[in-house]
Amino acid sequence: EDQVTQSPEALRLQEGESSSLNCSYTVSGLRGLFWYRQDPGKGPEFLFTLYSAGEEKEKERLKATLTKKESFLHITAPKPEDSATYLCAVQATGTYKYIFGTGTRLKFLA
Amino acid sequence: DSGVTQTPKHLITATGQRVTLRCSPRSGDLSVYWYQQSLDQGLQFLIQYYNGEERAKGNILERFSAQQFPDLHSELNLSSLELGDSALYFCASSLSGTSTDTQYFGPGTRLTVL
């Protein structure tokens, strides 16, 4: 069965403290892996799409990487505005269905 | 603002009732997606439409149904409501409904079933 697991569930970071969020996935074949951020009470906001192992994408303080079994979202020198829940999702080949993980809640400690 | 609109923002109803949630996609987007987000289950993909036709079905209950109209807006109908249906319901839209598209999410409808 296709599955997505995110860890840790929650993360607290201080200024200057970088970290990585993990997304492990199990699919028969990967069509795409997606990262979103979600603020409380709002809809998810698209960050990145990764398609094949070895691919990397960057946006400001965020960098997403992909291997055959997992993806990492690296956050460098986080700022208060980076506090959010980060969601990972996959789409398997042969289907248009999306499977989301339960997310990592990131909180910036001033 | 993503450009996707959802109405109503909040909905409070009783068990056994039926409600309709409405979604207007971004201008030019042909595909619409519906998701349910509850505290214990996270974001669950329900169904996708592309240009009026159903394209993919996820964990959508038989009590739920959806459609996309010729003007591309979509409605999600929830019937015989149960307490467990209380959740945030999101609509998203994208240009062509493929994995290379970016999905833009609406602000959601919060459904409370009492």
Side-chain angles (χ1 to χ4, degrees):
Chain A
E1 184 184 340
D2 298 337
Q3 203 168 3
V4 175
T5 304
Q6 290 188 247
S7 63
E9 282 190 21
L11 187 60
R12 295 184 170 204
L13 296 178
Q14 293 181 323
E15 188 169 0
E17 187 179 6
S18 302
S19 189
S20 294
L21 282 56
N22 178 265
C23 171
S24 298
Y25 62 92
T26 305
V27 291
S28 50
L30 183 69
R31 176 174 275 175
L33 184 140
F34 311 86
W35 282 100
Y36 291 84
R37 69 166 278 161
Q38 185 176 24
D39 294 308
K42 298 196 172 181
E45 178 186 339
F46 172 78
L47 293 174
F48 304 107
T49 304
L50 302 166
Y51 296 102
S52 56
E55 192 174 357
E56 298 182 351
K57 287 193 177 172
E58 280 188 76
K59 180 180 177 181
E60 295 178 356
R61 296 176 295 284
L62 301 177
K63 179 179 177 180
T65 62
L66 181 65
T67 72
K68 287 189 177 179
K69 292 185 178 181
E70 57 192 350
S71 176
F72 293 94
L73 184 65
H74 308 277
I75 301 178
T76 303
K79 295 185 176 181
E81 55 263 40
D82 295 325
S83 295
T85 295
Y86 290 85
L87 300 170
C88 169
V90 299
Q91 190 180 52
T93 52
T95 176
Y96 286 99
K97 289 166 52 174
Y98 289 83
I99 301 167
F100 277 79
T102 51
T104 293
R105 291 188 313 279
L106 174 65
K107 184 167 184 177
F108 179 84
L109 300 175
Chain B
D1 184 356
S2 66
V4 178
T5 59
Q6 289 187 247
T7 56
K9 287 193 74 171
H10 302 276
L11 199 48
I12 301 174
T13 188
T15 54
Q17 294 299 304
R18 172 190 168 95
V19 296
T20 298
L21 312 184
R22 182 187 169 104
C23 168
S24 293
R26 290 188 329 147
S27 176
D29 284 356
L30 298 178
S31 193
V32 169
Y33 312 74
W34 285 99
Y35 294 88
Q36 178 193 58
Q37 188 171 42
S38 57
L39 282 174
D40 58 344
Q41 289 206 334
L43 196 65
Q44 299 283 318
F45 169 73
L46 296 179
I47 198 163
Q48 179 197 1
Y49 282 85
Y50 172 73
N51 206 20
E53 299 290 325
E54 181 184 306
R55 173 172 273 182
K57 219 170 199 179
N59 302 324
I60 187 165
L61 300 172
E62 284 192 15
R63 300 183 285 109
F64 296 0
S65 65
Q67 55 181 326
Q68 186 180 27
F69 294 87
D71 67 352
L72 301 176
H73 91 272
S74 179
E75 292 181 357
L76 179 67
N77 299 295
L78 315 176
S79 62
S80 302
L81 285 168
E82 301 175 0
L83 295 177
D85 297 328
S86 295
L88 262 173
Y89 290 83
F90 288 106
C91 167
S93 74
S94 74
L95 186 61
S96 63
T98 65
S99 62
T100 54
D101 277 2
T102 295
Q103 285 189 48
Y104 294 90
F105 281 77
T109 292
R110 183 174 294 279
L111 174 66
T112 302
V113 182
L114 302 176

